[in-house]
Amino acid sequence: MKIKNTLINARGADYKTLNEKIRAAVTANGTARITLDGVNGQRFIAAGLERHVAIVVNGVPGNDIGAFMNGPEIFIRANAQDAVGNTMSGGLLAVAGHVSDAAGYSMRGGLIVIRDTAGYRTGIHMKEYRSSVPTIIIGRAARDFLGEYMAGGRIIIFGIGSKIACGNYPGTGMHGGAIYMPSDKLPSRLPDGITSANVTTADTAVIESAAQDFARALGITRKELPSTKKTSFSVIRAASNRPYGSLYAY
Amino acid sequence: MRHKQNLVEFKIIRDRERCIQCEVCARQCAFEAHIFDADAREMESVDALCAGCQRCVSLCPTRALTVIKNPQEFRPDSYWTKNVLQGIYKQADTGGVLLSGMGTDKIYKSYWDRILLDASQVTNPSIDPLREPMELRTYLGAKPEKIELRSVGKTRKPRLAVKLAPQLRLETPIMFSAMSYGAISYNTITALARAAAKSGTFWNTGEGGFPKALYEYAPHTIVQVASGRFGVHSGYLNAASAVEIKIGQGAKPGIGGHLPGEKVSRLISETRMIPEGSDAISPAPHHDIYSIEDLAQLIGALKEATRYEKPISVKIAAVHNAAAIASGIVRAGADIVAIDGFRGGTGAAPTRIRDNVGIPIELALASVDERLRKEGIRHRASIVAGGGIRNSADVVKAIALGADAVYIATSALVAVGCHMCQKCYTGKCNWGIATQNDYLVKRLNPDIASERLSNLLKAWSREIKEMLGGMGIDAIESLRGNRLRLRAVDMTDTEMTILGIKPAGESL
Ligand code: SF4
Ligand code: SF4
């Protein structure tokens, strides 16, 4: 079957106009793939979209790309800004570059793949529920406070080309989910309330499948990522799912 | 065991002549203050466990029980009061932060009770609401700066040329404010949703998600987006009639919410979309909002995700700088600004915060309305005031101070049986409201409760019409911001200036 491709020129369009065009293209029969050309800082691209559609972004999108979305597969051929995939429920966001702060804020399903570096507070408030397990995979590194208040889901960092995989205090206020990174690339300061341990076989399977997803999403080969056999990985988990259980006088 | 220093708060008095040992009280009290002593064949009570909720008193078939405030005092001291000492003892025992439910019970000046309403005499006749039509219908949302008409067709029929922003249509200017499923029971939110639908108004899900089974009430539902984003997905946003961004809450400005893991039951976990038994944590800040510009971004994202079809509300706690903040909120694109006064209730708040942070809604409301008018942006958003609205007179005063509508919550809970024991945070609410325990939840019948809520709205609406009629006004719109119809007693000049009202006795 021939995939219908719709090309949208984003040059000079404000975010409202651009999003209207995207929505119109999505509702038009048969569109399975949209290419956005000349994107330059427009916010909220594909916010709230619930269709299974592939969107290729040429240029740098503004904040909140894919916010609340559930279904689209977005491929960004550049860096992206703040709050990539804010509260997204499902679908894929792949970034062939860096992203700024709070990527995957309160994400509850789907996959975010970041080729290079992610900013502060990546994966803050991520939550999982039953089969809906949100996942963020980062090629190089993330900044401080990774997975803050994390209540579920997975973050996997490969640390490619970086001395440390993330900045200080990953998992502050964490009460669910798991963060994986190479053991020799853990940051020097870890917060209270978490445990850091060597991965189990089940964890290794998670990392291995993340490596494959990462390679597939960015169109590279699995070999460009560290091998799960040769690299030792650590996993950060919450010490308790009741972090504030003893704070109050009843 | 360590020696406990505190005094019990309540005293349970049982009339032994009347008691028939039916054990109703023992079954009714989730705090387990009543027990049947099988050896003595007598009912016994433990005063220390009593929350003073009056459930047993109400249900005892022979009226054998009386629960009173324990008359035993520490040595009287008007500064180091019993409450103060109790707090210190409790904290010395546990090392914990003190918690409370409901709004503050401390004595602060109530401005509602110092404001009097006007009525017409001779010159501007009053209107009989039983005979004449009285309009309470209220639309919430951004209003256009000006109306333009164009004529269409051969008959040159006038048509609106401006595109109106989405509006919420209320048949009475009273809505149920945010109470999450989790803080209150499923039966309670069901009753709120049904009553809102029946009375042509709205209920608010709070930040606890929107159970699928209640989607039939979606046309009367406002959903909330708080920092923890529980249960937020595009289906949730799109199902609702409006989306409210929760920045703050009157009972605990600057403080977030923690739903303790033991309350996260199977159904709650489904609605909040988090695993059973895990803490549900909503810290005070949204981590993507540190400025008005950031707020504009979240408003924008929500508008995009709901295709500009729904009004977006922003709820803040009433604080010193509320007027400037509200101005920013309107400029950020909000269609509704909800302000929650320091008397507002809560399922759980640190007691010191509840009792000491925030300002009265009357002052916040008046200053916000004034500021938006001065800046010429009042039409760009509706104002909803909440936090301690107790009756229809409070509603009328709030509207005259500048509100478009009010939010009520404590009054609504009282209507369905709450006895203000303030123990909501224990999850043991004997009235079946603030609990997730099935045995207790069953006590609140949603049919009866929704009927009672509808009755309350009906009665208040009727009273509002009476008051409007008395002023010679036939539409609630003519009352909005009409501060000339208010007069102050027992207030300082500064207070009157802030409220924008004259002292009682001063003519127009
Ligand atoms: S807590 Fe309520 S039901 Fe229990 S003894 Fe006290 S008044 Fe009665
Ligand atoms: S809701 Fe229940 S626990 Fe809370 S104050 Fe009312 S009666 Fe007490």
Side-chain angles (χ1 to χ4, degrees):
Chain A
M1 203 185 80
K2 213 176 136 244
I3 290 175
K4 195 175 158 203
N5 189 3
T6 306
L7 183 74
I8 297 175
N9 183 357
R11 283 179 195 84
D14 62 9
Y15 68 76
K16 245 170 144 172
T17 321
L18 180 57
N19 262 331
E20 262 162 34
K21 283 188 185 163
I22 296 173
R23 278 195 291 268
V26 168
T27 15
N29 273 338
T31 299
R33 188 183 158 93
I34 299 171
T35 305
L36 307 178
D37 265 354
V39 171
N40 188 9
Q42 287 96 339
R43 292 179 171 183
F44 319 124
I45 291 174
L49 267 196
E50 294 198 89
R51 292 285 186 93
H52 193 85
V53 58
I55 302 177
V56 177
V57 179
N58 291 319
V60 179
N63 297 350
D64 272 333
I65 184 168
F68 308 108
M69 78 171 195
N70 188 11
E73 299 202 343
I74 303 181
F75 182 69
I76 303 165
R77 281 200 235 254
N79 299 329
Q81 299 185 354
D82 285 345
V84 167
N86 188 352
T87 323
M88 71 183 255
S89 302
L92 165 71
L93 260 160
V95 186
H98 307 281
V99 303
S100 188
D101 302 340
Y105 181 161
S106 204
M107 175 185 184
R108 42 196 6 125
L111 175 63
I112 296 180
V113 173
I114 299 154
R115 195 190 66 194
D116 300 331
T117 309
Y120 294 94
R121 306 183 119 162
T122 301
I124 182 169
H125 279 301
M126 271 171 89
K127 296 182 170 62
E128 72 181 59
Y129 180 62
R130 294 195 183 155
S131 60
S132 191
V133 182
T135 307
I136 298 181
I137 313 171
I138 301 165
R140 185 180 158 91
R143 306 296 289 264
D144 299 1
F145 299 108
L146 173 74
E148 197 177 5
Y149 300 111
M150 193 171 169
R154 294 164 185 158
I155 301 177
I156 301 103
I157 306 185
F158 289 107
I160 303 164
S162 173
K163 275 207 194 95
I164 50 155
C166 71
N168 287 322
Y169 305 113
T172 301
M174 187 174 183
H175 49 293
I179 304 175
Y180 302 93
M181 61 186 84
S183 306
D184 58 349
K185 295 185 178 183
L186 280 164
S188 56
R189 289 189 209 146
L190 296 177
D192 293 338
I194 60 152
T195 61
S196 153
N198 289 330
V199 292
T200 62
T201 330
D203 290 326
T204 307
V206 169
I207 301 168
E208 182 54 42
S209 100
Q212 288 169 19
D213 287 344
F214 186 96
R216 199 177 313 120
L218 293 170
I220 59 172
T221 59
R222 167 68 185 87
K223 273 191 271 171
E224 294 178 47
L225 293 147
S227 139
T228 43
K229 293 201 184 78
K230 291 189 202 129
T231 318
S232 127
F233 277 87
S234 288
V235 55
I236 291 175
R237 285 200 167 88
S240 149
N241 69 346
R242 299 287 325 273
Y244 301 126
S246 61
L247 196 62
Y248 302 108
Y250 277 93
Chain B
M1 203 185 100
R2 259 187 314 153
H3 183 65
K4 293 252 173 170
Q5 321 265 339
N6 44 334
L7 282 176
V8 299
E9 268 187 271
F10 298 98
K11 214 171 159 57
I12 305 170
I13 303 167
R14 174 175 282 101
D15 184 339
R16 303 239 172 240
E17 306 240 298
R18 288 192 178 184
C19 176
I20 51 169
Q21 286 93 42
C22 66
E23 293 184 62
V24 162
C25 51
R27 283 192 295 276
Q28 289 299 323
C29 183
F31 298 100
E32 297 176 8
H34 299 286
I35 30 165
F36 181 62
D37 180 341
D39 294 336
R41 303 209 50 76
E42 289 253 43
M43 291 303 303
E44 291 301 337
S45 301
V46 188
D47 292 349
L49 298 175
C50 174
C53 78
Q54 306 293 328
R55 177 81 188 180
C56 57
V57 178
S58 306
L59 271 82
C60 171
T62 62
R63 299 258 163 232
L65 290 169
T66 312
V67 171
I68 57 163
K69 194 172 155 225
N70 182 7
Q72 179 60 52
E73 281 292 343
F74 293 112
R75 188 203 174 285
D77 187 317
S78 61
Y79 188 68
W80 296 94
T81 59
K82 186 164 152 186
N83 255 339
V84 171
L85 300 190
Q86 298 277 47
I88 295 174
Y89 292 139
K90 199 168 185 182
Q91 293 190 302
D93 279 341
T94 61
V97 170
L98 296 175
L99 280 182
S100 291
M102 304 315 279
T104 182
D105 55 9
K106 271 178 74 173
I107 304 170
Y108 288 104
K109 197 165 180 172
S110 153
Y111 291 94
W112 299 132
D113 296 332
R114 287 175 173 75
I115 296 176
L116 293 170
L117 296 171
D118 188 25
S120 304
Q121 299 294 299
V122 185
T123 53
N124 170 18
S126 44
I127 303 170
D128 178 3
L130 298 174
R131 247 192 70 227
E132 310 282 347
M134 280 281 171
E135 186 67 66
L136 294 192
R137 186 176 290 165
T138 301
Y139 288 92
L140 301 182
K143 306 291 184 297
E145 181 138 18
K146 56 176 192 260
I147 293 287
E148 275 169 44
L149 298 173
R150 64 187 157 83
S151 321
V152 281
K154 278 205 191 88
T155 50
R156 316 278 308 147
K157 266 197 190 143
R159 284 274 181 279
L160 211 52
V162 274
K163 197 173 173 290
L164 290 180
Q167 306 283 323
L168 293 182
R169 175 173 146 177
L170 280 59
E171 297 306 332
T172 187
I174 308 164
M175 303 188 288
F176 300 127
S177 64
M179 289 181 275
S180 69
Y181 174 38
I184 57 173
S185 69
Y186 189 78
N187 286 1
T188 314
I189 55 166
T190 306
L192 290 166
R194 275 190 207 162
K198 190 174 168 204
S199 310
T201 185
F202 294 83
W203 72 291
N204 186 315
T205 63
E207 54 177 307
F210 186 8
K212 285 261 157 51
L214 296 180
Y215 271 31
E216 60 177 297
Y217 303 106
H220 294 277
T221 307
I222 300 175
V223 296
Q224 248 191 5
V225 171
S227 66
R229 308 273 163 90
F230 295 105
V232 178
H233 51 88
S234 47
Y236 168 85
L237 300 174
N238 281 302
S241 301
V243 181
E244 183 166 88
I245 299 172
K246 180 197 171 182
I247 300 290
Q249 165 181 359
K252 41 179 173 179
I255 294 279
H258 297 163
L259 187 69
E262 58 257 28
K263 286 198 192 170
V264 181
S265 62
R266 189 180 54 82
L267 265 172
I268 301 246
S269 102
E270 243 166 57
T271 320
R272 297 209 174 206
M273 300 176 16
I274 51 169
E276 259 175 76
S278 103
D279 272 356
I281 299 170
S282 252
H286 285 248
H287 295 88
D288 51 356
I289 303 180
Y290 289 99
S291 64
I292 293 294
E293 290 71 26
D294 289 350
L295 176 66
Q297 184 179 315
L298 183 57
I299 294 173
L302 290 169
K303 286 194 171 178
E304 279 293 338
T306 56
R307 295 173 302 280
Y308 299 86
E309 283 163 6
K310 298 164 201 284
I312 307 291
S313 167
V314 175
K315 175 175 174 178
I316 54 163
V319 290
H320 304 337
N321 207 16
I325 296 161
S327 161
I329 291 172
V330 175
R331 291 169 196 284
D335 303 287
I336 299 168
V337 184
I339 319 159
D340 196 17
F342 85 128
R343 291 251 176 220
T346 174
T351 311
R352 300 298 170 235
I353 304 281
R354 184 195 75 165
D355 289 351
N356 296 285
V357 184
I359 65 170
I361 184 61
E362 301 90 320
L363 303 175
L365 166 62
S367 60
V368 166
D369 177 65
E370 180 63 21
R371 174 80 176 241
L372 299 185
R373 279 176 200 283
K374 270 203 181 127
E375 294 183 0
I377 55 173
R378 178 64 182 83
H379 64 282
R380 276 165 56 180
S382 296
I383 300 178
V384 178
I389 304 268
R390 301 158 300 175
N391 50 49
S392 59
D394 291 352
V395 178
V396 168
K397 292 168 190 176
I399 291 173
L401 283 177
D404 289 87
V406 302
Y407 261 147
I408 61 167
T410 303
S411 306
L413 295 191
V414 171
V416 302
C418 165
H419 279 58
M420 299 290 290
C421 71
Q422 305 186 15
K423 289 281 189 277
C424 324
Y425 61 94
T426 61
K428 292 181 181 165
C429 176
N430 281 326
W431 294 91
I433 299 166
T435 179
Q436 302 307 326
N437 172 335
D438 283 335
Y439 181 65
L440 301 173
V441 169
K442 271 189 276 183
R443 292 179 184 182
L444 190 136
N445 176 324
D447 292 329
I448 298 171
S450 74
E451 179 77 36
R452 295 182 63 83
L453 289 165
S454 299
N455 281 345
L456 184 78
L457 293 180
K458 189 168 129 200
W460 286 20
S461 303
R462 166 111 346 257
E463 290 173 340
I464 294 170
K465 288 180 178 179
E466 293 283 355
M467 283 180 257
L468 288 180
M471 290 188 226
I473 292 176
D474 66 357
I476 194 86
E477 256 176 18
S478 315
L479 178 70
R480 191 167 308 127
N482 194 342
R483 301 184 194 189
L484 282 174
R485 309 314 291 269
L486 305 175
R487 285 294 183 274
V489 287
D490 196 14
M491 277 193 217
T492 64
D493 287 350
T494 315
E495 288 165 332
M496 285 185 283
T497 311
I498 294 168
L499 290 169
I501 62 179
K502 294 172 186 288
E506 192 175 306
S507 308
L508 295 175

